[in-house]
Amino acid sequence: MKPPTSIEKAASVLDRLAEPPYTMSLTEVADFLSMSKPGALSMLDAMEQCGFVFRDSLTKRYTLGASLVRLGKAFLEQSDLEDTVMPHLVRLKETTPGGRGHTYLSIWDGRKCFLLLSVDFLHDRRTYGPYEGGGIPLHAGLTAILLAAYQDQATIRRMLEAAVPLKKVTENTLTDIDQIMEHYRRVREQGYHLGNEGYRIGFVGIAAPVFDKDGRAFAAVALSCPKTLLSREALVESYLDGVLETARVITRKIALRG
C-alpha cells in the first residue's frame, strides 16, 4: 500500500478536527499521522497560512480554520443545491401533521455522510451546516445507512472494520458488521431506508437516494418524525411515496443542470 500523500495527511487532520473534542496538539497530530514533530509542524504551518487550521496562541492547540466556512458557502453557491433542494424540503415538511416533521438533505463526500441542508422539526425555520461531530455514523444514522448502502461495499466494510468497536447508539443500533452489510443489501434492494430509533430513541424516519448525473448516489433526502407524531407504520403509509418522489424530483433537476 502506498504511503499517504501530504494532501491525504492534511485531509485526515481536518477530518479529525471535525470530530469531538475539535482540537489537537502538535504531539497529537504527529502521533495521529505517524510523523515527526518537525514534519507535522511544517504541514500545520502551511495549513494555518491557508486558513484551514487555527493555532491558539495560549493553548498551542489547533482547531479548524475559518477558510473552511468560506469553502462550504462557495460549494453551496456553485452547486446550486440550496436553491434546488430547499423548496422541496419545505414542501415535504409542510405535509406532516402541523408541519412538525423534520426534513433534510445529507451528502456523501467519499468518506463520510453529513447533514447539509435542513428544515428543523422543532422550529419553523431553516438551518444549515454540518452534522454534529462532522459525520453521521455509517451504521446508525438514517441517511448514512442509506448512502453507505449505495457505495462500494468492500470499501464500506473496511471503513466499518477500522471503526471497531462500533458504538451502540441505541438498543436498536446494529454493531455486527455482517448484519450491517446484510442491512445495506436490503436497503439497496428496496430503494429506501426505513429507520427505527437506530440513532435517536423516539424517532422514526425514511430516507431515499438522490443521484448525480452519472448515476451515483451522492445525497439522501430524509423525513424524520417523533413517534408521538407518527408511528412507523403511519409514516410509511402516508409519506414513503412523498419522500421517494422528492428524491426523484431533485435527481431530475440535478440531471437537467448538466
Side-chain angles (χ1 to χ4, degrees):
M1 181 181 295
K2 292 172 56 179
T5 64
S6 297
I7 292 177
E8 288 170 333
K9 289 179 179 179
S12 67
V13 170
L14 295 178
D15 272 347
R16 176 58 66 90
L17 289 174
E19 299 175 353
Y22 307 110
T23 177
M24 297 176 78
S25 68
L26 172 59
T27 298
E28 289 168 342
V29 171
D31 290 344
F32 174 59
L33 297 175
S34 299
M35 295 177 65
S36 66
K37 283 188 179 181
L41 180 60
S42 177
M43 184 192 72
L44 288 166
D45 283 346
M47 294 172 69
E48 186 175 17
Q49 289 177 20
C50 295
F52 296 151
V53 298
F54 171 78
R55 180 175 179 266
D56 189 291
S57 59
L58 295 177
T59 66
K60 313 300 183 186
R61 296 183 69 84
Y62 293 87
T63 56
L64 292 176
S67 285
L68 298 174
V69 176
R70 175 176 56 82
L71 294 176
K73 288 183 177 179
F75 168 77
L76 280 176
E77 290 175 4
Q78 65 87 26
S79 66
D80 201 29
L81 271 177
E82 183 175 336
D83 290 340
T84 301
V85 172
M86 285 304 294
H88 299 288
L89 295 184
V90 171
R91 192 173 299 117
L92 183 60
K93 175 185 182 293
E94 289 174 348
T95 64
T96 61
R100 291 173 56 207
H102 176 204
T103 55
Y104 55 98
L105 181 94
S106 295
I107 194 166
W108 178 259
D109 72 352
R111 294 170 298 173
K112 292 184 177 181
C113 172
F114 60 92
L115 186 148
L116 187 68
L117 299 168
S118 170
V119 184
D120 199 290
F121 64 89
L122 293 176
H123 308 283
D124 188 17
R125 62 183 175 87
R126 303 177 183 187
T127 59
Y128 311 91
Y131 202 80
E132 60 179 304
I136 308 172
L138 297 185
H139 67 295
L142 175 65
T143 51
I145 289 175
L146 184 283
L147 286 171
Y150 279 86
Q151 311 309 314
D152 178 77
Q153 293 302 280
T155 300
I156 295 296
R157 178 180 277 275
R158 286 195 296 271
M159 293 170 65
L160 292 173
E161 290 172 346
V164 170
L166 298 173
K167 181 180 179 181
K168 197 168 184 64
V169 184
T170 75
E171 60 183 31
N172 290 349
T173 305
L174 295 177
T175 57
D176 179 86
I177 291 181
D178 288 335
Q179 291 180 357
I180 295 169
M181 300 305 295
E182 172 59 20
H183 186 50
Y184 290 155
R185 186 195 64 76
R186 292 196 300 269
V187 168
R188 287 195 309 276
E189 190 174 85
Q190 66 188 12
Y192 62 90
H193 177 222
L194 178 61
N196 185 28
E197 301 182 273
Y199 188 72
R200 291 187 67 185
I201 290 294
F203 285 80
V204 292
I206 302 170
V210 173
F211 300 94
D212 64 17
K213 62 182 186 300
D214 296 317
R216 294 172 297 201
F218 81 103
V221 167
L223 167 63
S224 176
C225 293
K227 292 181 73 174
T228 54
L229 181 66
L230 287 169
S231 68
R232 192 166 184 247
E233 293 74 18
L235 183 69
V236 172
E237 181 178 350
S238 301
Y239 296 99
L240 174 58
D241 288 344
V243 173
L244 291 172
E245 179 60 18
T246 299
R248 285 193 290 264
V249 168
I250 294 172
T251 293
R252 286 197 296 270
K253 289 194 171 185
I254 289 171
L256 290 172
R257 278 188 345 211

